[in-house]
């Protein structure tokens, strides 16, 4: 199996090395990741030329560093950079991310976006994230994420699976649950301050997800101590609403 590994925390993030070590049990792993942390980059892409460099990462593995977004990394890897001596990429893994990607965080996440980019090319993909504890045990989180990955395989072309590991500060996860993504949004606010230059500074505070209207969901199950597994899709069409829109007697005025 040929696996492409990427992330949004950057090439030197401990989570990337931890995931690499485990994925080598499944086959050859090509690594293409952002040169700098790109958390919250969502599915942005770079329209300017990208600087790319092949590096040795602390003697553990070689990787391509790209001055771009996680989506840029997957685009470049699938088009040119992945080691084709091992055949085409069979699976893309993004992570392990330092911080959970559940609920509406999924829309902001560069980790999930990298996985989605692979799905555009029909390559199955998995995003792996972990709740960020004060004393984050990245090795344990990677172990749990990898255990789920092994049970998921083989995947279908274009699959996008989102895995989240709960806080490990209070012990081992209670189990693994398959749940939908919550769309409840955040309980958050914005604080306003002023800097020395007199400019207004806005800063997000809070950020806890509101409880979902339907239970269980990824946000609530993760808080309860479960590893969550959610199948995602990039098709954002609201098919039911489209049906009602199609019933409108649309008219277009002619212009002279």
């Amino acid at each position: 199996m040929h696996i492409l590994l990427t992330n949004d925390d950057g090439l030197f993030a401990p989570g990337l090395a931890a995931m690499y070590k485990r994925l080598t049990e499944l086959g050859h792993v090509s690594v293409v990741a952002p040169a700098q942390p790109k958390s919250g980059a969502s599915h942005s892409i770079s329209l300017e030329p990208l600087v790319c460099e092949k590096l040795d990462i602390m003697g553990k593995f070689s990787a391509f560093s790209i001055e771009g977004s996680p989506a840029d990394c997957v685009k470049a890897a699938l088009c040119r950079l992945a080691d084709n001596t091992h055949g085409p990429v069979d699976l893309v893994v993004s992570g392990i991310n330092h911080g959970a990607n559940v609920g509406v965080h999924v829309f902001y996440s560069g980790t999930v976006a990298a996985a989605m980019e692979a799905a555009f090319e029909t390559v199955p993909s998995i995003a792996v994230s972990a709740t960020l504890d004060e004393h984050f045990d990245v090795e344990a989180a990677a172990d749990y994420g990898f255990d789920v990955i092994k049970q998921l395989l083989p995947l279908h072309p274009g699959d996008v699976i989102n895995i989240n590991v709960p806080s490990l500060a209070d012990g081992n996860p209670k189990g693994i649950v398959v749940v939908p993504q919550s769309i409840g949004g955040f309980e958050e606010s914005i604080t306003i301050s002023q800097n020395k230059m007199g400019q207004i500074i806005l800063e997000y505070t809070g950020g806890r997800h509101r409880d979902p209207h339907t239970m269980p969901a990824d946000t609530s199950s993760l808080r309860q101590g479960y590893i969550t597994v959610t199948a995602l899709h990039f098709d954002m069409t609201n098919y039911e609403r489209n049906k009602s829109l199609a019933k409108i007697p649309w008219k277009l005025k002619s212009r002279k």
Side-chain angles (χ1 to χ4, degrees):
M1 176 182 285
H2 185 187
I3 302 167
L4 170 64
L5 176 63
T6 190
N7 71 353
D8 76 354
D9 287 323
L11 196 58
F12 295 95
L16 190 75
M19 205 74 251
Y20 175 86
K21 181 168 63 176
R22 286 148 184 86
L23 291 174
T24 53
E25 296 180 23
L26 299 177
H28 177 77
V29 182
S30 296
V31 181
V32 183
Q36 306 295 332
K38 291 289 182 178
S39 295
S42 188
H43 212 121
S44 63
I45 59 171
S46 303
L47 301 181
E48 70 277 2
L50 298 172
V51 175
C52 175
E53 186 177 7
K54 193 167 187 179
L55 301 173
D56 178 83
I57 308 302
M58 297 176 288
K60 296 179 179 179
F61 55 90
S62 63
F64 282 101
S65 162
I66 292 183
E67 295 283 351
S69 70
D72 286 328
C73 292
V74 175
K75 279 182 178 294
L78 295 181
C79 288
R80 297 297 297 270
L81 296 181
D83 187 352
N84 59 15
T85 60
H86 297 272
V89 172
D90 302 299
L91 174 69
V92 171
V93 175
S94 182
I96 187 167
N97 189 66
H98 294 195
N101 281 304
V102 290
V104 296
H105 268 155
V106 168
F107 296 102
Y108 307 133
S109 168
T111 303
V112 175
M116 284 289 183
E117 185 62 38
F120 292 166
E121 302 298 328
T122 72
V123 179
S125 61
I126 301 172
V128 190
S129 305
T131 302
L132 187 57
D133 294 319
E134 183 178 354
H135 303 290
F136 183 48
D137 189 343
V138 66
E139 296 295 334
D143 280 340
Y144 286 119
F146 183 60
D147 189 40
V148 177
I149 289 174
K150 289 187 293 184
Q151 295 177 71
L152 282 169
L153 299 178
L155 293 174
H156 300 147
D159 273 350
V160 182
I161 308 297
N162 189 29
I163 301 171
N164 281 274
V165 178
S167 170
L168 301 177
D170 298 323
N172 298 332
K174 295 178 180 178
I176 303 169
V177 293
V178 177
V179 286
Q181 174 195 353
S182 170
I183 54 172
F186 293 112
E187 293 175 350
E188 64 181 0
S189 60
I190 296 178
T191 60
I192 299 177
S193 59
Q194 197 172 59
N195 64 15
K196 294 179 180 179
M197 299 173 62
Q199 297 169 312
I200 296 173
I201 305 299
L202 305 178
E203 185 176 4
Y204 288 109
T205 59
R208 179 184 174 91
H209 278 90
R210 291 191 289 268
D211 286 332
H213 298 300
T214 57
M215 300 282 279
D218 56 2
T219 51
S220 54
S221 295
L222 193 68
R223 284 204 303 268
Q224 292 165 10
Y226 291 93
I227 295 174
T228 63
V229 178
T230 305
L232 303 175
H233 200 281
F234 55 78
D235 185 351
M236 298 175 70
T237 304
N238 183 335
Y239 289 97
E240 289 302 314
R241 184 65 176 125
N242 258 10
K243 289 179 182 178
S244 63
L245 293 177
K247 296 177 182 178
I248 295 175
W250 300 101
K251 296 178 181 178
L252 187 63
K253 292 182 178 180
S254 61
R255 298 177 62 89
K256 295 182 179 179

